[in-house]
Amino acid sequence: MPADESRRLTDSVAHPFAVPLGDGPSPQAVLRCLTASDRPGCLWGQWFGGGVVLLRRPLHVVDPEHAAAGFDIVDRQPIVGSAGFAGLGGGWLVSLGYERHRRWLGFYDQLLRCGPDGRWTFESLGLRGREQAMDEALRDWRALLAGGQPAGTGWQVGPLQTLRDADDTRDRYLAEVEDAIGRIRRGDFYQVNLCTRLSADFSGSITQLFADMAVNLHPAYGILVGSEQPLASFSPELFLRVRADEVTTSPIKGTAPRLAEEIDSPVLRASAKDAAENIMIVDLMRNDLSRVSRPGTVVVHSLLDLEPHPGVWHLVSTITARLQPGVEMSGLLAATFPPGSVTGAPKSSATAAIAVLEPVSRGAYTGTAGFLSPCGSAELNVVIRSFEISAGRLELGVGGGITADSVPIREWQECLDKAAPLAAAAHSALDPRLRRAGGQPLGDLRGDGVFESILVSGEAPVRLPEHLARLDRSCRELYGVGLPDTLPAEISDLLTTGRAPAPTTRRALRVQAMPAAWGSAVDVTVTVRQLGPPATECTIAYHPRDPVSWRHKWVDRTSLEDAERAAFPDLPYFTADSSVADDARVTETSRGNLFVRRRDGVWLTPPLDDHVLPGVTRRAVLDLFDRVGQEYRVEPVTRPVLRHCRAAFWTSSLSGAVPIAAVDGLPVADHAVDPTVSLVGESLGFSDPFTGQSTITDRTASRNGPSSRGRSPR
């Protein structure tokens, strides 16, 4: 129905009323009786004080073509002619997708409501001329409460898979996260939300699917929109609540997996990344609301509250404001949509990046859905944890906020953590290949601690903030507590008071952290030692290593040292599955991250999954490539690509960029002449501060012994 036909609502007068109906069957049982032809709707959870609202047979429907024109349609409401009605009566059920073509609005002038006490009530707007229709609606609802029969034969959801190959989708997501981190480091934005989509076969009744899953998931802001492309949302997040002129928003940022018996999440409480992510979005939402609010009324009521939700923990904050006189719902939406928690900050820069980075459109996902009543109430969720159904297929969007501190594989795992509870409630499962990137349990490595090795140039540690940030992330993830705030000052004191070796040679600063005996802190040890001559080039050869997670820099290097002894005089490199097969994915060397120049001239570096340390120098190289326009890709490198490359080097904080002369005994064609390797070494400051000679072009360094063969500590 064209949007113009809804204009007559503004000329209507509502005299809302309610009819108590008493006890009855469960909301699940009643909802299962509604059919697609009813254009059903349902609000399930904390909406409007809690309970369940059921809707059927809308008076007006605005199709996507007209709904995409703007938000002003939601302002077309009847005039309420009688005061004091405490219910909803009716109003707009809306699904305003992130993509404009995925918007739908239906106006219902009556509804059935089950309160938190389990008692049913029929509510109507009481529009003039609709008296007979209301009598029929009340009679039909009574019949359903008296014993309606489920419509259809149930529902079925197939396995949830990626839209394209699972490995390719994961690898692309990891690369997108790194791309976003690079843009953040360049100052394009502070945070961006990156998403991917899963899909499954679907058959049966969407109303029954929603009813059954809502019973299992207990969503805070679950909503069913029975449009031509139905939406079943089990969202935990409130986007906007409006009561008269007061507006409330409760953005969610920060996620950790949750086991059924858990009553707290120390890991999430300790996550500096998640807290920063949440606070940035709180600032964004404060700014959005301030555009339409009375000065001085935007208030943060709660910050970083820890909340349990199905399968996950979340950090939630709440902001309130008082709207300026004359601001209607369309104006509020224009100022705040799309929700900041699913875009980023600044919002304009983040949404522009989303359009470039995400390979498929979002559809309804990360938009908003909810209900707007002319009786003075409106509530909208954020469309996350939501199924979109079309042509026998079901799609689920998942994603997370990316900041400068993001760890790509953890961002991917967060997507799966968010999808898993919905898959289980839908009697489905995630494609097993989606989690294949992870390493095995950590064993005894965790107890021995983690460390950083940092090159000291003069009295200045090179990229000290980045190294400490990486170590702090590991400590918070592994031990639930970060590094002490006094550590930078202690390092400065050590390097300037004579307790360290005199700054006349290359030096290495080592910062080591391990769990303290009492479990609420980490013990940190800082030492400085002299370094020998830098490596000039090396040869590498394949060797297996223990299948554990290598994205932390473990103090226990036994596995790596064993591999180095076995491979000597070569430096060992590894594959993800400890395989020599041609399709095995190369990860890194025992001393640093790999960069490989393919035959077509493009540089490659493996994605940061659980098998690859997120190297500080690796990140610096990618930033350099961006600055100088050097073409590169973050994607898997197979053994044939490595063995037949044009050039290659590995990077570490102490060695810089070390050219690779041969792989498995095969010479690397351009290892001595490729200009990119020299560019990396000279541009990133990997030179001896007292000779001025680049660590990768100084061919006079000693080649006797391990140090000249690429054995400087990683």
Side-chain angles (χ1 to χ4, degrees):
M1 180 177 293
D4 289 344
E5 295 192 23
S6 66
R7 293 186 185 278
R8 65 188 182 200
L9 288 173
T10 58
D11 299 325
S12 302
V13 178
H15 296 281
F17 64 90
V19 179
L21 301 177
D23 296 332
S26 68
Q28 178 189 20
V30 179
L31 181 55
R32 286 175 59 88
C33 297
L34 302 186
T35 67
S37 62
D38 288 318
R39 296 285 183 91
C42 180
L43 307 174
W44 191 300
Q46 297 176 16
W47 301 93
F48 304 102
V52 174
V53 174
L54 300 181
L55 302 147
R56 66 191 301 196
R57 301 170 188 167
L59 181 60
H60 296 299
V61 170
V62 182
D63 58 38
E65 178 182 353
H66 295 89
F71 297 124
D72 64 304
I73 295 173
V74 299
D75 295 334
R76 301 171 192 171
Q77 297 270 24
I79 299 170
V80 179
S82 54
F85 182 70
L88 299 173
W92 287 109
L93 179 73
V94 304
S95 172
L96 305 175
Y98 185 88
E99 308 293 342
R100 294 173 70 92
H101 68 278
R102 288 303 309 274
R103 296 181 181 177
W104 184 92
L105 301 92
F107 188 87
Y108 299 77
D109 65 343
Q110 48 81 27
L111 55 87
L112 189 67
R113 193 168 185 178
C114 183
D117 60 359
R119 299 179 68 83
W120 290 93
T121 303
F122 173 79
E123 295 183 8
S124 171
L125 288 176
L127 299 179
R128 184 174 300 173
R130 291 280 294 166
E131 293 82 3
Q132 183 177 349
M134 291 306 96
D135 289 342
E136 293 174 355
L138 177 56
R139 184 171 60 251
D140 290 346
W141 284 121
R142 286 186 188 274
L144 284 181
L145 293 178
Q149 295 299 313
T153 57
W155 52 270
Q156 186 171 11
V157 177
L160 277 165
Q161 304 171 323
T162 50
L163 300 182
R164 290 189 280 269
D165 178 78
D167 291 339
D168 289 344
T169 300
R170 181 191 62 240
D171 293 336
R172 176 160 184 164
Y173 191 82
L174 298 180
E176 289 167 359
V177 172
E178 286 214 72
D179 192 338
I181 292 172
R183 293 168 187 256
I184 293 170
R185 290 169 66 90
R186 296 196 298 273
D188 293 356
F189 41 77
Y190 308 113
Q191 178 185 158
V192 66
N193 212 72
L194 288 184
C195 306
T196 189
R197 288 175 81 81
L198 307 177
S199 179
D201 291 329
F202 173 76
S203 61
S205 166
I206 180 63
T207 56
Q208 294 186 21
L209 167 74
F210 179 84
D212 296 345
M213 290 186 62
V215 168
N216 289 327
L217 292 172
H218 306 289
Y221 294 97
I223 185 169
L224 169 68
V225 179
S227 62
E228 290 79 2
Q229 293 181 302
L231 172 71
S233 175
F234 307 94
S235 176
E237 183 170 357
L238 174 68
F239 176 36
L240 296 171
R241 174 186 295 125
V242 180
R243 299 285 190 274
D245 67 344
E246 184 174 84
V247 58
T248 301
T249 183
S250 296
I252 288 176
K253 293 310 291 181
T255 302
R258 171 178 169 248
L259 300 177
E261 67 275 10
E262 284 184 329
I263 59 173
D264 195 7
S265 178
V267 170
L268 185 55
R269 289 187 187 276
S271 173
K273 181 263 184 187
D274 287 290
E277 190 180 341
N278 189 291
I279 291 170
M280 279 189 274
I281 298 306
V282 167
D283 285 343
L284 184 150
M285 295 303 297
R286 290 173 61 235
N287 179 71
D288 282 357
L289 289 176
S290 69
R291 296 164 57 190
V292 290
S293 299
R294 299 176 186 180
T297 66
V298 180
V299 177
V300 178
H301 274 275
S302 63
L303 188 66
L304 304 179
D305 286 347
L306 185 69
E307 289 188 2
H309 291 276
V312 293
W313 291 96
H314 282 312
L315 294 178
V316 184
S317 299
T318 297
I319 308 112
T320 62
R322 301 291 294 274
L323 296 175
Q324 297 172 9
V327 173
E328 295 188 281
M329 197 67 198
S330 60
L332 177 58
L333 284 168
T336 58
F337 186 88
S341 63
V342 287
T343 50
K347 187 184 287 184
S348 59
S349 301
T351 52
I354 287 168
V356 173
L357 293 173
E358 294 185 7
V360 295
S361 65
R362 292 190 174 189
Y365 175 59
T366 67
T368 186
F371 196 74
L372 304 93
S373 170
C375 298
S377 298
E379 291 189 3
L380 297 166
N381 75 2
V382 179
V383 178
I384 55 177
R385 321 292 151 79
S386 304
F387 289 156
E388 301 169 59
I389 298 172
S390 178
R393 295 290 294 175
L394 172 152
E395 290 193 6
L396 169 66
V398 286
I402 310 304
T403 69
D405 287 333
S406 288
V407 177
I409 192 60
R410 292 199 71 194
E411 298 297 341
W412 174 254
Q413 290 165 349
E414 180 178 319
C415 291
L416 303 184
D417 290 338
K418 292 172 177 176
L422 273 77
H427 304 156
S428 177
L430 297 177
D431 183 341
R433 294 179 299 167
L434 296 177
R435 294 190 183 272
R436 202 165 67 184
Q440 298 300 312
L442 307 181
D444 295 332
L445 294 175
R446 180 180 177 277
D448 291 328
V450 286
F451 77 106
E452 291 289 317
S453 292
I454 307 158
L455 180 67
V456 179
S457 176
E459 294 183 353
V462 178
R463 298 181 182 84
L464 178 64
E466 290 93 333
H467 282 283
L468 294 186
R470 182 174 68 179
L471 186 60
D472 185 74
R473 287 194 298 270
S474 287
C475 288
R476 290 179 184 274
E477 179 182 344
L478 297 170
Y479 312 125
V481 62
L483 297 174
D485 295 337
T486 57
L487 182 57
E490 293 174 10
I491 291 173
S492 177
D493 178 66
L494 174 65
L495 294 175
T496 58
T497 59
R499 289 185 289 134
T504 57
T505 60
R506 286 163 33 90
R507 294 182 297 165
L509 174 71
R510 181 184 175 99
V511 183
Q512 181 174 319
M514 63 184 300
W518 54 88
S520 60
V522 290
D523 288 332
V524 178
T525 304
V526 183
T527 56
V528 180
R529 64 180 176 84
Q530 295 181 351
L531 289 176
T536 58
E537 65 177 39
C538 74
T539 59
I540 64 174
Y542 169 75
H543 196 275
R545 69 175 173 184
D546 291 344
V548 300
S549 173
W550 288 103
R551 60 182 174 84
H552 301 287
K553 196 166 183 179
W554 305 113
V555 167
D556 183 351
R557 296 177 56 83
T558 304
S559 179
L560 303 181
E561 292 168 353
D562 289 346
E564 288 183 351
R565 283 190 290 269
F568 189 80
D570 298 315
L571 192 70
Y573 73 88
F574 311 110
T575 58
D577 56 358
S578 298
S579 168
V580 296
D582 281 351
D583 62 349
R585 296 159 58 106
V586 174
T587 56
E588 57 186 3
T589 73
S590 62
R591 295 285 165 169
N593 296 120
L594 274 167
F595 285 82
V596 179
R597 192 163 205 167
R598 218 165 44 189
R599 289 291 182 179
D600 62 3
V602 177
W603 282 95
L604 306 178
T605 191
L608 292 180
D609 59 19
D610 252 321
H611 304 286
V612 179
L613 182 76
V616 170
T617 307
R618 176 185 178 278
R619 180 67 255 176
V621 172
L622 296 183
D623 290 344
L624 171 64
F625 282 177
D626 285 330
R627 289 198 303 272
V628 302
Q630 173 64 56
E631 185 177 4
Y632 73 91
R633 294 177 187 168
V634 177
E635 65 178 48
V637 177
T638 61
R639 292 191 70 218
V641 170
L642 175 61
R643 298 177 77 190
H644 301 288
C645 64
R646 283 177 48 180
F649 62 92
W650 59 266
T651 62
S652 79
S653 299
L654 301 185
S655 298
V658 180
I660 296 172
V663 179
D664 294 329
L666 299 175
V668 174
D670 298 338
H671 84 276
V673 297
D674 192 290
T676 305
V677 185
S678 296
L679 171 68
V680 169
E682 293 165 2
S683 299
L684 298 183
F686 295 116
S687 58
D688 188 318
F690 303 101
T691 67
Q693 294 176 306
S694 168
T695 62
I696 64 171
T697 57
D698 178 13
R699 304 296 180 180
T700 64
S702 170
R703 295 176 61 90
N704 298 320
S707 63
S708 66
R709 301 291 293 174
R711 298 302 179 94
S712 297
R714 189 176 186 183

